Amino acid sequence: MKKYIAVLLWSALLAPVAEAQKTSWPVLKHYEKEATDRIAMPVGGIGTGNISIGGNGQWKDVEMMNKPGIGFYGSTTPKQAPLFMVYTEDPDGKKASRALVGPIPPYEYAGSEGSTAPNHGFPRFATASFDAAYPFAVVNLEDPEMPVSAKVRVFNPFIPADADASGIPVAVIRYALTNKSSKPLIVAVAGSLDNFIGMDGFKVGFNSFNRAIIPQGAKDNRNTFRKTDHLTGIYMTSDSVDKDASTWGTIALTTSEMDKDYRVSYRTAFNPKGWNANMNDMWMDFADDGIFKDITFDEPEDSPRAGLAVKLSLAPNETKEVQFLLTWHFPNRKDWDDKQTVGNYYTTRYTDAWDVAEKTLTALPELERKTLEFVTLFLQSDYPDVVKEAALFNTSTLRSQTAFRTRDGNFFGWEGAFASTGSCYGNCTHVWNYEHATPFLFGELAKKMREVEYTYGLWDDTGLMSFRVSLPLEKNKSWKAAAADGQMGTVMKVYREWQLSGDDAFLKKVYPGVKKALAFAWIKGGWDADKDGVMEGCQHNTMDIEYYGPNPEIEFWYLGALKAAAAMANYMKDKEFEATCKQLFVRGSQWTDAHLFNGEFYIHQIQPVASKEAIAPGLLIGMGSKDLKDPDFQIGEGCLVDQLVGQNMAHICDLGYLVNPEHVKKTLQSIRRYNYVKTFGDHFNNMRSYALGNEAGLMLTAYPDPSKRPAIPLSYWSEAWTGLEYTAATGMLYEGMREEALSTITDVRDRFNGVKRNPFNEEECGNHYARAMASWSAVVALSGFHYSAPAAKFTITSTPGNYFWSNGYSWGMAHVTNEGATAKVAIEVHHGTLKLKTIATKGAETGLKKMVVLGEGGSQTFSVGQK
């Protein structure tokens, strides 16, 4: 982050608010009325945890302490959630105060003891609307009884290709107040929260009266008022929480509003006598005159509440903004089993929460400028809004507790996040196969994942790759179980990461492992034991069961892995392995077209095995059929929604078609025809429901001929997963089926419209599910973007338009225009450095006489002749 430190400190400190007052943030999606009810946008950095802002401005889901905290507000009752308030006073002495939140959603009205809404007892603004272009969010608050309107402006720096700048444990919070009256006003804004260090919502007790969940863990926590040259605020610590606990750390609520026209006041504690006396004390003290008057109590609480207020004046029609920084620092992240400490990368860059605030404040103007540049550029692209929404909003998963970075800088991910613990550990290869946000936005993190897989997930003696890696990282200590799709997918992902980065050292490091991982398919009792280019063996996969016999989902991953491995072998001058991979690819591709394509889509030929002894060790996980001679949970002659996922990856990697292109298009047409459900309320589903009522979408497996549906079909056959729907939509885009693809993506986002579900949380097996980041692949498909760093070849579609591009290390805009038989491609670099030797469009390419290197701010136009 050092490169963002401003030269002039004073101007840096004043710039954030000054710039915010004259610069509007972009808006991609507007939500109002009931569409704000379910919104909870994570605000935090990659690997730092977060806190979420609700659609009505309510702070919720405190997830700072190394664990998920969906529904956890950091207190013993909902009333004690973090809260910001406003006070106003006119020249006649008329006072008014409100919590800076909008109306309570109807679903939070009822409970055994009244409303379950956090801060439900406070006066609120009459209406709220929510504007978003992740990571920027603005909550607009209006009330006819208040002389001011308010905007809550929230973000955290998010700069592609810079994981450190995008990994800061901070919520930048600004409250903009506008005087609607004809009189000058005295106003104050205050923030208040409990010192909940030690409480992460995982350890709880129960109230015997009504069985209410009571978070536990805080002990002898203390709040201290601090003032430095540039910050004023509350510093939260704990004297007695175990310093080795994952919940031990520090929190700071600070403000940089130290101008002579601003008055800062504070409370380090409120009345501790129980029955919510602290909240009564807080409200009465602030609503009296907008100033906190600090008091010391003889009987301190374990989790005392603190408050920080800023008082100022507003002329008629004037707008001023008050900035707060909420920062945190919790160094003791534990492993998957919550036993050993693996640490947090972000805490190696800061000493405590106050240090986070000091360093972030100094760098904030440039961090905000670059974040704004990225979001604005992306929104100015000619991608349909629904594609932008799906791609951009799902990147918030990288900042949820689904993803984290350990002390050594390695990048890890659960599959998703449950309410207070992760969902399905271990960088699960078959789930993370689907996501494309990480490699195209943060390439170094994607490479870290590959290095972990091939260094710690691969068993050297056999080539088996555990589809879940252990923590702490130890060689060959991971679960000795392989997923066919996951293992083949890692081969393709190594190729993708190498192509995007051009990092030959990375390729040389993992290439021996790639050969072992691919050759593992050929062992006795393995996936392709007869080495004919077709996977027939027992294939554990992302459906959490085993397939028996050739099927398109795994076969396409295999074909893609063979083609990618051949390309890497060629670069490594490994002619023998290259020839083997090419031969198997050709045989497998031809066989797949000849035997699995039924004229409409690719099917599964079920081939039972005689006994467990015929299956190589590590392939039978045991979550599937108990009868191997007549296995349950098979696809059979069903139409699987993501059967072409390996083909998608091949297109994204610029590896071309894996089978007959006409069959690929026909299959996608069939998926749209057969898997599409117009109204899920009319659809039977024996499993989990992710689409209900009149909602539309693509189901996992369709049987055009019901008589051919197995008695016990594929485990999740009747469900709808957003990550698979995005996968199908991306395939459609590559086949020119734009209308069908956009309809598919629209169906997904209509389900996450804020009324029934959170637009920033696409669930599957857990919240913020990693697979949903498949949504970024639609951006790649629509632009036809590919960058081969080893060849310095930049490819973009020949369709005229403006296309945001990013290879994970640099990003910018490509402007494509056609002039007769020639395409003009203007490439702008807004971040990083881009090397160019060949410029290609769909159907033509032009080699440059010498290498062109574009640095940040550079641009150049190239002519590409069309065939």
Side-chain angles (χ1 to χ4, degrees):
M1 193 173 68
K2 291 181 179 178
K3 65 182 178 181
Y4 296 118
I5 295 179
V7 176
L8 296 176
L9 181 60
W10 180 246
S11 62
L13 297 177
L14 293 181
V17 175
E19 286 298 314
Q21 289 176 351
K22 65 183 181 182
T23 303
S24 296
W25 286 346
V27 176
L28 174 58
K29 190 79 173 181
H30 174 77
Y31 302 87
E32 59 185 34
K33 298 180 180 178
E34 67 272 13
T36 65
D37 288 355
R38 296 288 180 174
I39 292 174
M41 190 188 88
V43 186
I46 296 174
T48 71
N50 61 84
I51 185 171
S52 292
I53 182 73
N56 62 354
Q58 175 64 59
W59 291 97
K60 56 178 69 175
D61 300 343
V62 179
E63 302 181 272
M64 302 172 182
M65 299 182 201
N66 301 307
K67 279 190 174 68
I70 305 296
F72 172 61
Y73 307 109
S75 66
T76 56
T77 69
K79 282 187 179 179
Q80 310 249 7
L83 177 70
F84 284 79
M85 306 166 288
V86 63
Y87 164 91
T88 68
E89 182 179 350
D90 68 16
D92 300 323
K94 183 179 179 180
K95 302 176 182 179
S97 297
R98 291 282 191 278
L100 281 160
V101 291
I104 294 173
Y107 75 90
E108 291 185 317
Y109 269 53
S112 60
E113 293 185 275
S115 174
T116 59
N119 306 127
H120 50 75
F122 288 82
R124 293 164 171 254
F125 279 73
T127 65
S129 63
F130 189 93
D131 294 320
Y134 187 81
F136 297 107
V138 179
V139 182
N140 308 289
L141 300 171
E142 294 288 349
D143 193 313
E145 300 302 317
M146 288 293 290
V148 295
S149 60
K151 290 183 181 293
V152 190
R153 292 159 50 86
V154 181
F155 89 107
N156 180 291
F158 189 80
I159 304 170
D162 194 334
D164 284 1
S166 305
I168 304 172
V170 62
V172 180
I173 305 166
R174 297 172 184 155
Y175 287 91
L177 303 175
T178 300
N179 184 353
K180 300 186 296 182
S181 75
S182 59
K183 301 176 181 179
L185 294 174
I186 299 297
V187 300
V189 178
S192 178
L193 72 157
D194 290 349
N195 181 338
F196 42 77
I197 295 170
M199 294 193 303
D200 59 5
F202 183 76
K203 181 180 179 182
V204 299
F206 290 91
N207 181 317
S208 60
F209 180 59
N210 61 8
R211 297 295 289 171
I213 295 175
I214 304 173
Q216 297 179 346
K219 187 176 182 182
D220 296 331
N221 294 357
R222 295 292 176 263
N223 300 325
T224 304
F225 176 72
R226 272 192 180 184
K227 185 174 182 180
T228 61
D229 290 342
H230 313 299
L231 284 172
T232 303
I234 304 296
Y235 180 56
M236 297 183 170
T237 58
S238 178
D239 294 334
S240 300
V241 171
D242 185 351
K243 289 181 171 52
D244 292 324
S246 62
T247 55
W248 177 82
T250 56
I251 304 171
L253 177 64
T254 58
T255 182
S256 56
E257 310 301 353
M258 299 167 64
D259 186 90
K260 63 180 181 180
D261 294 329
Y262 292 75
R263 176 177 177 179
V264 176
S265 60
Y266 65 93
R267 289 285 296 268
T268 54
F270 294 97
N271 194 311
K273 293 183 179 179
W275 295 92
N276 288 329
N278 60 342
M279 303 303 281
N280 181 69
D281 185 10
M282 177 189 72
W283 178 253
M284 294 302 175
D285 188 11
F286 180 71
D288 177 50
D289 57 5
I291 298 172
F292 282 134
K293 294 164 281 294
D294 199 36
I295 301 173
T296 301
F297 296 95
D298 295 331
E299 301 175 0
E301 298 177 279
D302 280 332
S303 56
R305 194 171 185 89
L308 183 67
V310 178
K311 196 171 186 179
L312 59 148
S313 61
L314 275 181
N317 301 314
E318 184 179 18
T319 298
K320 287 184 179 179
E321 192 167 69
V322 178
Q323 176 172 278
F324 296 90
L325 300 181
L326 177 62
T327 54
W328 56 92
H329 186 274
F330 289 90
N332 301 324
R333 180 175 290 276
K334 303 300 180 180
D335 60 16
W336 307 115
D337 297 320
D338 204 30
K339 294 178 180 178
Q340 298 187 58
T341 299
V342 293
N344 276 316
Y345 172 75
Y346 82 86
T347 61
T348 66
R349 302 175 59 231
Y350 308 98
T351 57
D352 57 18
W354 195 274
D355 187 43
V356 175
E358 290 276 9
K359 290 177 178 176
T360 301
L361 179 67
T362 305
L364 192 54
E366 183 62 11
L367 290 167
E368 181 174 355
R369 186 190 70 80
K370 287 297 293 185
T371 303
L372 189 60
E373 183 177 7
F374 156 60
V375 176
T376 301
L377 200 69
F378 185 68
L379 297 193
Q380 288 174 346
S381 300
D382 291 334
Y383 304 112
D385 283 351
V386 71
V387 171
K388 296 174 186 174
E389 178 192 335
L392 195 60
F393 286 19
N394 274 307
T395 62
S396 63
T397 295
L398 293 174
R399 327 247 274 190
S400 71
Q401 283 288 358
T402 293
F404 60 94
R405 298 180 74 183
T406 48
R407 184 188 297 115
D408 56 15
N410 282 317
F411 184 62
F412 294 90
W414 299 85
E415 290 184 24
F418 291 131
S420 57
T421 187
S423 161
C424 305
Y425 75 97
N427 289 18
C428 181
T429 57
H430 59 68
V431 169
W432 283 80
N433 261 356
Y434 288 78
E435 75 92 18
H436 295 281
T438 306
F440 281 95
L441 295 177
F442 300 99
E444 290 295 338
L445 297 185
K447 282 198 302 180
K448 290 285 188 183
M449 272 195 156
R450 305 292 82 76
E451 290 171 355
V452 166
E453 288 162 355
Y454 279 91
T455 305
Y456 300 100
L458 191 72
W459 291 73
D460 290 332
D461 56 344
T462 63
L464 179 151
M465 178 180 288
S466 171
F467 66 88
R468 300 190 191 278
V469 295
S470 64
L471 275 177
L473 288 172
E474 295 180 39
K475 185 70 174 177
N476 291 346
K477 293 298 182 182
S478 298
W479 188 23
K480 205 166 188 177
D485 51 352
Q487 186 150 334
M488 295 301 103
T490 65
V491 175
M492 297 193 78
K493 288 185 285 189
V494 166
Y495 180 77
R496 179 189 62 192
E497 268 65 281
W498 169 58
Q499 284 288 293
L500 291 174
S501 68
D503 189 342
D504 284 358
F506 162 76
L507 179 61
K508 291 175 182 177
K509 179 179 180 180
V510 299
Y511 179 71
V514 167
K515 292 180 66 175
K516 289 180 181 179
L518 191 54
F520 177 73
W522 310 327
I523 66 172
K524 182 179 179 181
W527 298 318
D528 183 16
D530 58 2
K531 208 172 181 181
D532 64 349
V534 180
M535 282 197 166
E536 305 97 348
C538 173
Q539 304 152 61
H540 187 77
N541 63 87
T542 200
M543 300 301 172
D544 297 324
I545 47 84
E546 288 82 33
Y547 296 143
Y548 296 93
N551 64 88
E553 181 185 344
I554 309 302
E555 182 62 18
F556 276 95
W557 276 121
Y558 184 34
L559 293 175
L562 288 168
K563 202 165 188 181
M568 289 184 282
N570 175 270
Y571 191 82
M572 297 295 292
K573 296 180 171 55
D574 188 349
K575 294 182 179 180
E576 182 178 353
F577 193 67
E578 179 188 7
T580 298
C581 291
K582 284 184 174 180
Q583 180 186 37
L584 290 179
F585 170 78
V586 171
R587 292 176 64 188
S589 175
Q590 292 174 348
W591 191 96
T592 299
D593 273 330
H595 294 88
L596 296 188
F597 187 70
N598 70 356
E600 291 191 287
F601 51 88
Y602 292 87
I603 64 169
H604 172 197
Q605 288 189 2
I606 302 173
Q607 297 179 7
V609 296
S611 66
K612 289 184 179 179
E613 288 69 31
I615 302 173
L619 302 190
L620 182 62
I621 310 304
M623 297 172 66
S625 179
K626 304 301 181 184
D627 184 357
L628 302 184
K629 295 180 180 180
D630 184 20
D632 295 324
F633 311 120
Q634 304 301 288
I635 305 169
E637 296 191 40
C639 182
L640 188 66
V641 70
D642 68 326
Q643 60 185 279
L644 297 177
V645 58
Q647 178 62 75
N648 270 21
M649 179 67 91
H651 282 320
I652 288 168
C653 293
D654 203 27
L655 289 169
Y657 283 96
L658 304 177
V659 291
N660 186 326
E662 294 180 2
H663 293 177
V664 171
K665 185 165 187 174
K666 182 62 177 178
T667 296
L668 287 161
Q669 291 171 339
S670 298
I671 289 171
R672 181 62 190 177
R673 177 183 178 187
Y674 294 126
N675 294 70
Y676 176 68
V677 177
K678 183 178 181 180
T679 304
F680 270 90
D682 298 333
H683 168 73
F684 169 75
N685 175 19
N686 63 299
M687 288 292 287
R688 304 164 300 183
S689 292
Y690 299 112
L692 291 163
N694 62 357
E695 295 176 327
L698 300 180
M699 63 184 290
L700 263 69
T701 316
Y703 290 90
D705 183 348
S707 68
K708 294 183 178 180
R709 197 197 86 175
I712 301 179
L714 180 65
S715 49
Y716 305 117
W717 74 279
S718 54
E719 296 183 358
W721 299 354
T722 68
L724 303 193
E725 291 173 282
Y726 291 136
T727 297
T730 295
M732 294 173 195
L733 289 171
Y734 276 117
E735 295 307 316
M737 299 167 59
R738 182 184 176 95
E739 182 178 347
E740 296 91 335
L742 297 184
S743 178
T744 298
I745 296 172
T746 299
D747 286 341
V748 174
R749 292 309 297 176
D750 281 350
R751 303 202 301 265
F752 291 85
N753 61 1
V755 178
K756 293 167 285 188
R757 298 178 187 85
N758 180 5
F760 302 93
N761 178 10
E762 292 189 13
E763 311 99 332
E764 192 185 305
C765 183
N767 299 287
H768 306 294
Y769 203 73
R771 200 190 320 259
M773 289 187 286
S775 55
W776 193 267
S777 63
V779 173
V780 181
L782 278 166
S783 62
F785 171 72
H786 179 71
Y787 180 66
S788 172
K793 181 179 178 180
F794 185 101
T795 304
I796 202 77
T797 181
S798 57
T799 305
N802 305 304
Y803 301 98
F804 173 86
W805 60 267
S806 175
N807 68 345
Y809 304 89
S810 56
W811 47 269
M813 186 76 92
H815 306 277
V816 180
T817 57
N818 286 345
E819 298 178 5
T822 301
K824 296 286 187 180
V825 180
I827 300 174
E828 299 174 358
V829 175
H830 289 250
H831 183 92
T833 300
L834 187 70
K835 293 182 178 180
L836 299 169
K837 192 71 174 67
T838 303
I839 311 299
T841 60
K842 190 175 182 179
E845 64 180 51
T846 296
L848 307 180
K849 292 181 180 180
K850 62 179 182 178
M851 184 80 72
V852 172
V853 180
L854 296 180
E856 188 165 323
S859 65
Q860 191 163 331
T861 300
F862 305 90
S863 295
V864 182
Q866 300 293 302
K867 292 181 181 179

